[in-house]
Amino acid sequence: ISTRANFFSDTLAEKAVQLFHHTVDGGGGLAAAGAAELMEAQTGLMSCFAAGASSSGIVTSIALAINARYKLSRALVSTILLPYMLEDSVRSRTERLGTLSRIMGLAGESTAAAEAAEILIADIRNRIAVTGLPARLKELGLSIEQLAPVAEDAGALETMSYLPHSMTSDDIFNLLKQAY
């Protein structure tokens, strides 16, 4: 969710979310017998295309900074940060998050965008919990003191200029504290 998203990247992201919903949740019955692997591959491909067509956001910046300092998995850090970033994005991308929630079948068409966004965030948190992945940065062995320089490092990256709203190093540290 960045300001460098465009119609093309948004369309690809919506298709990736739709395929994810159909593949993982069985929504809508699109998958024919034996086609699950193909749909999973299509979901991954659409996600990659969408990510490649837009710019990196705050989660990528923080994940890169944590990986550079502490050699922790960027994917794992990104997974932990995703619901917190989405909560932060509700104020600037409410309609977009509501649309994604509806595509996943989590919210109805008449559900207000803000409520649909909250339902989406709760669903993502639930999926993280169900899979047994860490939900907090402290579960990776990081201390709160180690996160202060990460906020500075992430804030210095060029990708910060593409966020939907400006964030200072203090804002980044507050996001990190929430995820801690």
Side-chain angles (χ1 to χ4, degrees):
I1 300 188
S2 90
T3 57
R4 293 279 306 260
N6 54 53
F7 176 77
F8 184 62
S9 66
D10 283 353
T11 302
L12 290 170
E14 285 182 13
K15 185 62 176 176
V17 168
Q18 182 183 38
L19 286 169
F20 172 82
H21 171 59
H22 289 295
T23 303
V24 174
D25 298 331
L30 280 182
E37 292 84 7
L38 177 61
M39 287 188 71
E40 290 169 0
Q42 289 174 341
T43 301
L45 187 62
M46 286 292 181
S47 298
C48 290
F49 285 155
S54 64
S55 65
S56 300
I58 186 64
V59 169
T60 301
S61 299
I62 293 171
L64 288 169
I66 287 176
N67 177 263
R69 280 192 177 267
Y70 307 115
K71 307 301 182 228
L72 294 171
S73 166
R74 292 181 310 221
L76 193 54
V77 170
S78 296
T79 299
I80 292 168
L81 292 173
L82 178 61
Y84 300 97
M85 180 273 304
L86 291 175
E87 284 176 338
D88 182 70
S89 296
V90 167
R91 62 183 164 155
S92 61
R93 306 287 279 180
T94 309
E95 290 297 325
R96 185 88 186 107
L97 294 172
T99 298
L100 295 177
S101 182
R102 289 182 195 94
I103 289 171
M104 289 185 65
L106 301 171
E109 290 302 319
S110 63
T111 307
E115 183 182 350
E118 294 303 322
I119 292 168
L120 173 68
I121 294 165
D123 183 71
I124 290 171
R125 281 201 164 94
N126 183 57
R127 288 176 191 269
I128 290 169
V130 166
T131 58
L133 291 168
R136 298 282 189 177
L137 292 171
K138 65 182 166 188
E139 294 176 58
L140 301 179
L142 293 170
S143 69
I144 196 77
E145 292 79 19
Q146 289 176 297
L147 297 177
V150 166
E152 295 292 329
D153 294 347
L157 294 173
E158 182 181 328
T159 56
M160 295 302 294
S161 62
Y162 302 127
L163 299 179
H165 58 87
S166 63
M167 290 184 85
T168 65
S169 294
D170 288 340
D171 296 328
I172 297 168
F173 188 59
N174 287 334
L175 181 66
L176 290 167
K177 287 191 291 189
Q178 290 172 15
Y180 185 74

